[in-house]
Structures are given as structure tokens and as C-alpha cells.
Amino acid sequence: MKSAISRRDFLGATAGAAASATLLGISFLDALPAQATSSFVRRDVGGMSATDPVLVSYGKAVQAMQALPNTNPLSWAYQAAIHGTTLSGSNTAWDTCQHGNYFFWSWHRMYLYWFERIIRKMADDPCWSLPYWNYTSTAERTLPTPFRDATSPLFTSNRGAGWNTGAASFPSGDVQYSAALSLSNFTNGSSSVEQSPHNNVHVDIGGLMGVIDTAAQDPIFFLHHSNIDRLWDIWLAQTPGAGDPLGDTTWKSTQFTFFDENGNQVQMTGCEVLRAQQQLGYSYEGEPAQVSPKCLLIVLPPWVFTEEVFAQLPGPPVELTGETVSFPINLAELRKRIALVLEDKNKTIFLQLDEVETEKPPGVVWDVFVGLPEKAAPDTESPYFVGTLAMFGPGIRSSKHHNEPAHFSFPVSRALAAALKTDSERTAVTFVPHGVLINGKPSRPEVKSPVRIGKAKLIVETKEENKKQ
Ligand code: C2O
């Protein structure tokens, strides 16, 4: 009985589970939909004009919240501080955002859910839903126009150069998430999306958005995260074998604190935010049918993943600066073993960078290439492009959210396969810094703080059918 559960099973199980949960009076289980009867649709902001009722209400709420004192949980400052703050003092739930770990998607989903309810109340618009910014679409690579109007509450002057004039746009390589859609292991899929597009968008926009402690003060933050949340749904729906970590008790039951629209404290767990539509009452415009995982059903994950170190790469420590930097991979030595791994479709090779640290936010994104031929231009459309490195939170020593160095990992099977086709003895891992596009042209990257990569290795992940039934 390993097959996916049918839709009908889901519905049946939901009804049964809801009944028994009510009977037992257990409120933290996942079967109690908060808004099962409502159906909010989070729309794409692309093409919305400043007079769109969604943006009018959002602006009205932001203004009302900005007028409240910092100590009021419904104030703009307090809500932003729940994510991160530079304000002194500590208030309930401040500085609780989750980055660099497997709570990234779930914590931000909870945060948005309560934020959206607060906006509804503050705008006096009970039908309001948070829009999303689909910057991966080539039509939406500049900041949405209504957020650039200096007279709007959705504006802040504290953004990187060019965003508020419309000159700045995202380089294509910064807003990709196809790597994530190839990774069915939850932790890998989630951290891949956290790297790209998530961190890149923060760093590229810069200003308030560029730093964890201030990011949520910019009204565009919530449209960025609405999109990241949509990518959770898309990852589940489109990635073969993808699943939430329902066998992981800590992930399922860790409680996080927020405030509801009446200013009352609320707690939420992973189990309560698995199904956007059924439990939280919303879907995204244009998204595929939502997958509906259930905490109460003990369904074993279809796959188990194991990882082993394939090779330590002796190049690092290396320092990333404003110039292209690389360190070698000895292909002659690894060629045969790599070829063997590449033959097995259940194995994926990852490049993992460890002990990644910097003093303060570098303000730059690095494109990462594996196997780039010596004379080839660093093209993010080529098979050698494996992803991006952008520091946001973990690994930044001056940030409150720093508690350990950051790790980055990239699936590199495709890049290594391309590199093996050449007969060179050595190849390399290459880091190319870049700025945002200004009027469609690359701008010069200005690295505010170099990044040190302490260690690097290749890892092989093996995906096996889960035989325990
Ligand atoms: Cu918790 Cu995009 O940040």
C-alpha cells in the first residue's frame, strides 16, 4: 500500500479525523480548519494598478499600523519586529524568523497568515488577500509600480539604487527555482528555494530588504514571501516524490508565537499549516491543485534519503570578493567515480560549502559554476551554472540572527556530466559576483564585506524506496 492516497481517501480521512479530534478536544491536531469555509485567492501583483482594491486596502492598513505605538502587536513596527528588529528591548515573539533550517517555509507561512488577518482588520476589508510577486516571470522583474510611488504608504526610500525608479531589475539567474523542483528531499528543496530566489531577492533589492533585522519593514517583503509560500505549494505539486517532513516530530509540533487581529497571542505548529486551502482558507491565483498532506495519517514517505561524503575539496578556505574567484576540482582523480554515480538515476551529487561567513551583509549575489571551461563566459543559461550564493541572516556575524556559519548546497550532477565531456584533468568551482541589472545591463558589484568559505565537499545523496510498510 505504497500508492499515493486518492482524493476521496483524503476527504474521508479529513471528516473522520475532524470528528475524533473534536471528540478528544484536541485543538493542535491538523484536522481543524481555521477557515474551511472561506476561500481567499492570493493574486499575482503583476499588472495590478495602484487603484486595485487589493493595493488600496494594503496601503490603508499599512498607514493605520504605522500610526500605532511600537508596543502594540498590531503596529507595523511590532509586526516587522516579529521577523527581526534592530530595536532594543524584547517583546513577545520578536526576532523569531526561521532561516537556514527546515522551519523556513512553515514559519513564514504562519507569519503571513496572521499578518494577512491583521491587514483585513486594519483596512476594514474582510475579503482582502495578500498578493504575490512573481518575479521569476520576465514581465515582473522590476519592482511593481504602485510600490515606487513616493506618496504611497507602500513606498520606502530605503531600497537599493534603481528599484524606486524602475531602472533596476533582477538578473535571470537570481530568480530561478528549477533546481529546487528537482529535489524531492524536503530539507534540500526548502533550502534551495531559500537560496534562490529567496535570498537573492532580498540582497538584490537591498536597503531595508537586504538585512534580516529590517526586511519586514518594507511592504514589498510580504509579497515576496507570498511568492515563496506559493513555491512551497508548487514544489509539493510538481516535484516527483516531494513531501513534507511528516515523520519528523520536531518539525510537526514545534510551536511558534504570533498575534491575531485582536492583538491576542496565538501559537501555531507545522501540522496546522500543511494545507493552505483546507486549513488556512487560501489558494494562489494560477497555482496547480494543492497537494494536501495530513499529519494524522501515518503515511510513510515514499523515499528515504541517505547522504555520504564523496570527496573533500581541498581548495578552500577561499575569500569571495568583487572579482571572480575559483578553486580547483581534480577531475583526473574523480572522473571514474563521478561517471559511476551519474549512471544511477537515484543518486544526486551536491556541492556543499561549509563555514560560510562574513562580517556584515555583502550586498552582492555570486553566481556559482561547476566545471566552467577556462575560456567560457559565465553564462547562467549554461549547464555549468549550479545556483547562487547570497548571504541573508545565517553566517553574517554582525546580525542578531547569526548563531553559526551558513551552509550552501547545490545539485551539481548536470554540471559535472558536462565537465566530464571535456578531457581536462582539472576543473573548478567558480564564483562570479554581480550587481542587479540597471536598464537591462549588468551593474558593477560592490562587495561591502568579503565572504569566507571555510570548507567544501562533494556529497552523494541516494534516494531509495521506503520498504518499511
Ligand atoms: Cu525571514 Cu525573506 O525572510
Side-chain angles (χ1 to χ4, degrees):
M1 251 282 294
K2 209 166 290 152
S3 59
I5 313 167
S6 75
R7 192 154 199 97
R8 202 179 332 140
D9 289 341
F10 264 133
L11 295 176
T14 310
S20 56
T22 315
L23 217 63
L24 295 167
I26 299 168
S27 62
F28 61 86
L29 295 177
D30 67 334
L32 301 172
Q35 307 210 0
T37 51
S38 22
S39 194
F40 294 98
V41 178
R42 292 184 178 177
R43 288 169 51 208
D44 187 341
V45 74
M48 272 187 197
S49 73
T51 56
D52 191 291
V54 171
L55 296 180
V56 172
S57 286
Y58 188 26
K60 188 175 156 195
V62 171
Q63 209 159 21
M65 291 165 76
Q66 282 171 343
L68 297 174
N70 287 355
T71 48
N72 185 328
L74 304 187
S75 69
W76 188 253
Y78 200 112
Q79 282 296 306
I82 290 178
H83 187 262
T85 185
T86 52
L87 294 172
S88 56
S90 72
N91 285 287
T92 304
W94 277 19
D95 282 311
T96 52
C97 70
Q98 300 294 312
H99 287 257
N101 66 44
Y102 69 0
F103 293 119
F104 172 71
W105 259 335
S106 54
W107 186 88
H108 288 85
R109 174 167 286 185
M110 300 170 194
Y111 181 48
L112 259 54
Y113 172 72
W114 295 107
F115 174 82
E116 192 178 45
R117 289 174 59 140
I118 292 169
I119 298 290
R120 272 176 211 140
K121 160 128 183 203
M122 298 302 285
D124 194 17
D125 181 353
C127 299
W128 191 80
S129 345
L130 181 62
Y132 66 90
W133 181 13
N134 181 15
Y135 31 66
T136 306
S137 154
T138 49
E140 293 184 53
R141 299 258 169 99
T142 55
L143 189 74
T145 328
F147 290 76
R148 297 182 215 156
D149 171 2
T151 64
S152 163
L154 304 178
F155 176 85
T156 166
S157 60
N158 200 344
R159 293 176 180 138
W163 291 101
N164 281 332
T165 62
S169 64
F170 296 113
S172 149
D174 286 10
V175 287
Q176 301 307 319
Y177 53 86
S178 51
L181 297 189
S182 72
L183 303 171
S184 36
N185 180 333
F186 180 85
T187 312
N188 291 343
S190 161
S191 75
S192 180
V193 165
E194 185 177 349
Q195 285 170 231
S196 180
H198 173 264
N199 285 7
N200 301 339
V201 166
H202 278 287
V203 170
D204 282 343
I205 294 181
L208 295 174
M209 275 285 275
V211 183
I212 245 185
D213 305 325
T214 54
Q217 291 175 39
D218 186 336
I220 200 65
F221 172 96
F222 296 92
L223 280 73
H224 170 32
H225 270 278
S226 183
N227 191 49
I228 295 298
D229 186 63
R230 185 179 72 99
L231 294 182
W232 186 4
D233 282 0
I234 291 182
W235 177 79
L236 278 171
Q238 300 192 345
T239 306
D244 293 331
L246 300 185
D248 188 311
T249 313
T250 308
W251 187 85
K252 291 198 296 185
S253 59
T254 299
Q255 294 200 327
F256 294 102
T257 301
F258 301 89
F259 287 86
D260 71 11
E261 64 276 25
N262 300 312
N264 296 319
Q265 256 185 59
V266 281
Q267 254 87 38
M268 239 184 182
T269 66
C271 276
E272 293 170 298
V273 299
L274 297 171
R275 306 183 301 282
Q277 176 65 70
Q278 288 181 12
Q279 293 174 296
L280 307 174
Y282 70 84
S283 60
Y284 287 95
E285 180 177 65
E287 76 174 337
Q290 286 181 10
V291 174
S292 294
K294 303 214 37 91
C295 266
L296 287 178
L297 286 184
I298 309 300
V299 181
L300 290 174
W303 302 103
V304 283
F305 298 92
T306 50
E307 279 188 353
E308 60 190 329
V309 176
F310 179 78
Q312 295 287 350
L313 300 177
V318 290
E319 196 168 73
L320 307 184
T321 59
E323 306 298 323
T324 296
V325 168
S326 55
F327 65 81
I329 300 178
N330 187 334
L331 258 198
E333 200 176 82
L334 299 172
R335 179 177 286 276
K336 282 215 187 89
R337 289 174 57 215
I338 292 176
L340 267 181
V341 173
L342 293 179
E343 275 173 23
D344 185 337
K345 65 176 182 354
N346 287 325
K347 291 191 193 294
T348 308
I349 308 181
F350 287 86
L351 165 67
Q352 186 171 315
L353 307 176
D354 294 314
E355 296 172 17
V356 184
E357 279 193 290
T358 185
E359 195 48 44
K360 50 184 196 175
V364 160
V365 176
W366 281 268
D367 287 331
V368 184
F369 297 87
V370 167
L372 189 67
E374 234 167 83
K375 298 236 165 59
D379 177 0
T380 59
E381 305 289 319
S382 78
Y384 308 109
F385 175 60
V386 298
T388 50
L389 186 153
M391 304 293 286
F392 185 71
I396 300 178
R397 280 191 294 267
S398 61
S399 164
K400 266 201 250 172
H401 293 265
H402 172 72
N403 37 32
E404 53 171 8
H407 310 271
F408 289 87
S409 94
F410 309 88
V412 296
S413 296
R414 186 179 73 138
L416 285 172
L420 284 195
K421 289 200 189 113
T422 68
D423 34 52
S424 56
E425 304 258 288
R426 280 152 76 85
T427 188
V429 180
T430 308
F431 301 86
V432 183
H434 64 265
V436 298
L437 301 179
I438 297 288
N439 297 318
K441 301 211 180 60
S443 63
R444 228 173 61 83
E446 281 186 46
V447 180
K448 297 198 191 86
S449 169
V451 175
R452 185 180 188 273
I453 300 171
K455 287 195 175 138
K457 57 187 180 226
L458 294 176
I459 284 182
V460 171
E461 180 200 72
T462 306
K463 175 173 133 183
E464 275 170 312
E465 256 184 69
N466 196 346
K467 300 235 169 62
K468 275 189 262 144
Q469 280 296 334

